[in-house]
Every structure is written in structure tokens, then in C-alpha cells.
Amino acid sequence: MSGTARTPRGGSRTVPVAAVLGSVLSLQFGAAFASTLFDDVGALGTVTLRLTLAAVILWGAVRPSVRHWGRAQWRGAVALGVSLAAMNGFFYVAIARLPLAAAVTIEFLGPLTLAAVLSRRPRDALWVALALAGVALLGARGLGGDGGALDPVGVGFALLAAAGWAWYIVAGSHVAATVSGAAGLTVATTVAAVLVLPFGLGTAGAGLADPAILAAGAVVALLSSVIPYSLEMRALRELPRNVFAILIALEPAAAALAGALVLGQWVQPIAAAGIALVVVAGVGALHGSGEPR
């Protein structure tokens, strides 16, 4: 993304903000549903289904024309694809070992750090600090219902996913600014699918071709890739990257809700307090975002 954010006439950010919120909910409920497939095809098999089927759906819906793409457009789409593979692959392995809200909370350190790096005003740093306090509370205990210690290997994978998430925001903003429509996302998703395919085949094998698994994988692809990433590409065209990064502070709250409703992973009061702080930080960042930079 260039240094200028393109906002609608009159400065309204209602549409891009609504796009981010829709993405947050779709992504987390998709992740919760995806984890129900782990017993059948494993975490890597599930992420392979998600990205491969998402690529197929996008190619059928978008039919991108890439013949006249320049080197910068291809480079941006490939970089976005690598970030998608890293972010999703490491995240799915993490939620195989951690409660959903715990994994998302740790993963959120990626965009949170990015927001801090991009921030140029003291009040932006204050919202980031408040969100960080909420993340610390949310990660302290109570995420899995029993308050037990988190799996250290799962935490490590979640941190790798955090780096992938920050990379995705940077790469996605570049693609949103240089490639029209969803063509860049379609190519990037295809790149990501190719990168994770060997790992999925190696762990799940022929199980990926089961009709019931394919149908469930298609639902995961829509909820976790096609819908949220399309909405985010829309938002990234009109929101500064630091505002976008802080807005998705709502991810841990959405993950806690999805984990409770779909997986029965209820959070304890201290975790709920952390969620509240993160939500307040997200709302404050939106309200105080000021003029686009």
C-alpha cells in the first residue's frame, strides 16, 4: 500500500470497517469448524483442503486475467501467497495443540507489533498498549476452560503464525493497491495451496478425496478463505495498514465466541476481561484514527 489511504467521499469508513468485522467473524467460525476435521485428516490436511478448494472457488468466480501482469504484480501475488501458506499452515498446527482463543491471542501479536511499528502518533501507541494488556490477560489463563498451562510447541507454532499474519497485512496491502479486484487474491491463494499440498498429502493421503471431507472442506474454504480474504482485500484499499491492524484486535474476541459456541471452549473471567480490553482498543483505534496517512 502506498502512503495514502483511499477513503470514500466525506471520509466515511463504514464500508471498509464492516468488511473487516465480517472477515473477523467468518474467519474465526471457519477456524472453529475446521478444527472438527482434525481427527479425520489432521491439521495439515485440513489447511490443504481449505486453500486448495478456496483456489478452485476463486478461479471459477473471478476468472482473473493475468496475461498482462508486470513483474511487480507477480512478485506481490507470490509474496502474498507465501504469507498465506505460512500464516494458515502454522495456525492450524497451533490450534491442534491449543484452544482456539489461545492460538488467536498469541497470533495477534503479529499485527499488534506491526501496528506499533507503523504508528506515528502517541494515541495510536496508547491503543496498541491497551490491546497488548488485553492480550496478556487473555493469554494468562482460562482459555481452555481448565486454566492449564499451554502446550509450548503449540505456542511456538502460534508465534510463527503471528509473523505470517503481519507479513500478510503488508503483502496484502501491496496487492490491493496494485491489482484490481480479486485477481491478486486468487493467484496468491493458488500459490499458498501449492506450497501446503505436499504436507497435506503426506499426512492425510487419500482421506482428502473422501466426498464428506471434501464437502466439509468446501465450507471451511468459504468461511476461512474466500469470504474473509475477499473482504480484507476490500478493506485494505481504503484503510491505513496500522488502523487495519488494530481493528482486527477483535479477532481474539471472535475466536473466544466461536470456540465457545462450536467447540465448547469456554473462557474464564480473567480471559473475558482481556477480551474486553482488546475490544475497547479496537474501537478506540477506529474512533481516533483521524485523517488518512
Side-chain angles (χ1 to χ4, degrees), residues 225-284:
S225 288
V226 177
I227 293 174
Y229 294 150
S230 296
L231 290 174
E232 287 182 5
M233 289 297 103
R234 167 71 173 81
L236 280 167
R237 291 189 177 92
E238 299 183 5
L239 288 178
R241 283 179 295 183
N242 63 327
V243 175
F244 177 89
I246 303 175
L247 274 177
I248 54 176
L250 295 170
E251 292 275 9
L257 177 63
L261 295 180
V262 179
L263 305 173
Q265 296 173 347
W266 298 94
V267 298
Q268 295 179 4
I270 191 170
I275 291 172
L277 285 180
V278 173
V279 170
V280 169
V283 173

Side-chain angles (χ1 to χ4, degrees), residues 51-76:
L51 292 172
T52 302
L53 293 175
V56 172
I57 293 170
L58 284 168
W59 276 100
V62 178
R63 299 182 181 276
S65 177
V66 298
R67 293 181 179 179
H68 303 294
W69 276 20
R71 182 177 299 178
Q73 291 167 309
W74 278 109
R75 187 166 54 243

